[in-house]
């Protein structure tokens, strides 16, 4: 699978990416030796677009990815992010978008990753004390210095994206988008399509829930999903209806629920006229191969309609703090 999907600003990536977050503890424990093998397997299978962030594992996720890059830097389009202080496991203590912080965060990421350039550098969350234009000007300075090739933004509103594009081309917006998280379709996705910005849906499998393999009642104490309203017992049990629909579409296509969830996103890209590159994460090598099967899966109009109806019935917010994601600030 050679890189074939063109995001914005001329950034070409593999049609499916790999979400690195799952390789440091966030949805359960991880064996570091196995995690490196999983990363190599993703690249062997043709996934060259690898996603990480400085906060995943409080820096240890980038360090893990550096071990892949040591051997295969040229095979990878590397994306990382700045802005959050803390870690998904321990919680976040601050969000920073001020220029001195951005410059320092980038240098630390470059050091942890053992590389001298990031292909796609994302602002991870908005710090509302800093105008977006000011943050993107600082990010553009990093491009001028040759330390970053392309810029991205995560969980921005349509308005914030427009303002950012007035400063520097934006290659991609990375926000949550899946069968059970469709709020971005209202404003952000149309803005991205209009502005020539690609979309990188995160948590495309609903943090695993859409695959039907997650029992919300038995998540570990440190599992990040325990903090998300739609994983709370009552909501999760109502949301089994969405999983049932995904499962029934999968059964008719001789596919798996994960493949249906990913193929649904690729179909939305075609419907809405913008490049869409989901970044599912997994600790398991065989699931990488399974997820890649989505690229060859075609969903019929009636199946897309059934999945759309199921998504209308989702119970519970995707974030405990509504302003944490774009929807709450629109
Ligand atoms: N920008 C942001 O704010 C933000 C937020 C969240 C995530 N992200 C990025 O997006 C990436 C993906 O999101 P995510 O990890 O939250 O959620 P996801 O990709 O929707 O789901 C990941 C979960 O699904 C399971 N899984 C993967 N493939 C599967 C399959 N074929 N069958 C059954 N289960 C499967 C994994 O479990 P196993 O490990 O057990 O396979 C894992 O727990 C992250 O890795 C990260 O890079 C970004």
């Amino acid at each position: 699978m050679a890189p074939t999907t063109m995001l914005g600003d001329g950034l070409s990536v593999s049609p499916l990416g790999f979400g690195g977050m799952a390789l440091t503890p966030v949805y359960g424990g991880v064996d570091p030796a196995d995690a490196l093998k999983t990363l190599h397997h993703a690249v062997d299978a043709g996934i060259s677009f690898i996603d990480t962030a400085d906060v995943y594992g409080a820096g240890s996720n980038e360090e893990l990815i550096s071990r892949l890059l040591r051997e295969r830097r040229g095979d990878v389009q590397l994306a990382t992010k700045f802005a959050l202080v803390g870690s998904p496991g321990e919680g976040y203590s601050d969000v920073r978008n001020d220029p001195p912080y951005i410059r320092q965060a980038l240098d630390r990421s470059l050091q942890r990753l053992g590389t001298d350039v990031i292909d796609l550098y994302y602002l991870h969350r908005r710090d509302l004390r800093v105008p977006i234009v000011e943050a993107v000007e600082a990010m553009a300075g990093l491009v001028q210095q040759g330390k970053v090739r392309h810029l991205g933004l995560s969980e921005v509103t349509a308005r914030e994206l427009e303002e950012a594009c007035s400063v520097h081309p934006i290659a991609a917006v990375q926000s949550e988008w899946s069968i059970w998280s469709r709020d971005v379709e209202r404003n952000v996705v149309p803005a991205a399509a209009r502005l020539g910005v690609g979309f990188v849906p995160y948590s495309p499998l609903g943090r695993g829930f859409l695959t039907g393999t997650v029992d919300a009642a038995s998540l570990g104490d440190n599992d990040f999903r325990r903090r998300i309203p739609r994983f709370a017992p009552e909501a999760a049990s109502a949301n089994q209806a969405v999983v049932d629909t995904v499962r029934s579409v999968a059964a008719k296509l001789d596919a798996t629920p994960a493949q249906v969830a990913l193929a649904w996103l690729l179909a939305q890209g075609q419907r809405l006229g913008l490049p869409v590159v989901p970044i599912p994460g997994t600790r398991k090598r065989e699931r990488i191969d399974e997820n890649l099967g989505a690229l060859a899966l075609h969903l019929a109009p009636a199946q897309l309609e059934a999945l759309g109806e199921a998504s209308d019935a989702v119970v519970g917010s995707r974030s405990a703090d509504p302003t944490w994601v774009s929807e709450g600030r629109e």
Side-chain angles (χ1 to χ4, degrees):
M1 190 175 62
T4 50
T5 299
M6 185 79 87
L7 296 168
D9 195 27
L11 174 60
S12 187
V13 298
S14 52
L16 201 67
F18 182 78
M21 185 176 75
L23 298 180
T24 41
V26 57
Y27 305 142
V30 181
D31 170 354
D34 216 37
L36 184 60
K37 285 188 198 150
T38 302
L39 274 176
H40 274 289
H41 185 80
V43 180
D44 289 341
I47 298 180
S48 51
F49 186 34
I50 307 287
D51 189 80
T52 180
D54 57 0
V55 276
Y56 299 163
S60 63
N61 200 277
E62 287 186 332
E63 283 162 5
L64 169 71
I65 286 168
S66 78
R67 296 170 66 197
L68 171 83
L69 298 178
R70 227 175 273 162
E71 293 172 45
R72 315 183 76 162
R73 180 67 189 91
D75 299 334
V76 169
Q77 296 97 44
L78 172 67
T80 192
K81 319 183 189 77
F82 72 90
L84 298 177
V85 181
S87 77
E90 308 298 315
Y92 304 118
S93 56
D94 204 358
V95 184
R96 300 274 303 268
N97 289 177
D98 53 290
Y101 178 82
I102 294 173
R103 290 189 281 271
Q104 187 185 52
L106 174 73
D107 286 339
R108 289 185 177 159
S109 282
L110 288 172
Q111 195 174 18
R112 275 191 296 263
L113 286 159
T115 186
D116 52 11
V117 64
I118 306 293
D119 296 296
L120 176 57
Y121 199 41
Y122 289 106
L123 178 151
H124 204 162
R125 279 296 182 285
R126 284 286 292 124
D127 165 0
L128 299 175
R129 298 165 296 192
V130 180
I132 185 120
V133 163
E134 213 176 288
V136 176
E137 277 169 359
M139 293 168 75
L142 306 176
V143 177
Q144 275 151 21
Q145 285 177 40
K147 294 178 172 180
V148 165
R149 293 202 170 104
H150 302 274
L151 303 184
L153 304 166
S154 177
E155 292 292 356
V156 288
T157 64
R159 176 85 190 268
E160 290 164 344
L161 177 60
E162 271 165 23
E163 288 182 31
C165 286
S166 72
V167 176
H168 191 276
I170 300 297
V173 167
Q174 179 180 133
S175 291
E176 185 168 359
W177 190 11
S178 69
I179 293 168
W180 78 340
S181 296
R182 300 190 63 183
D183 58 273
V184 291
E185 289 174 40
R186 279 197 296 275
N187 299 306
V188 189
V189 169
R194 197 170 60 245
L195 294 161
V197 175
F199 214 98
V200 176
Y202 78 70
S203 302
L205 305 173
R207 302 182 191 264
F209 190 81
L210 297 171
T211 68
T213 58
V214 175
D215 175 10
S218 56
L219 296 175
D221 286 346
N222 295 328
D223 194 304
F224 183 82
R225 293 169 288 197
R226 286 176 76 101
R227 298 187 220 151
I228 300 175
R230 59 179 52 171
F231 280 92
E234 269 184 35
S237 114
N239 289 330
Q240 279 305 322
V242 188
V243 177
D244 293 343
T245 306
V246 177
R247 271 204 186 111
S248 92
V249 169
K252 286 195 190 91
L253 290 165
D254 202 13
T256 68
Q259 289 170 337
V260 168
L262 297 170
W264 178 88
L265 273 166
L266 298 170
Q268 301 317 302
Q270 282 167 9
R271 177 175 73 87
L272 298 164
L274 79 173
V276 168
V277 181
I279 48 167
T282 177
R283 294 164 295 182
K284 303 184 175 81
R285 295 190 275 292
E286 65 278 10
R287 286 183 170 173
I288 290 174
D289 302 332
E290 175 190 333
N291 295 345
L292 276 167
L295 295 173
L297 192 65
H298 176 74
L299 302 178
Q303 291 165 336
L304 289 166
E305 201 176 316
L307 293 166
E309 278 171 23
S311 76
D312 290 342
V314 169
V315 174
S317 162
R318 68 184 176 96
S319 171
D321 172 2
T323 63
W324 184 246
V325 293
S326 57
E327 185 184 22
R329 300 196 309 280
E330 277 173 343

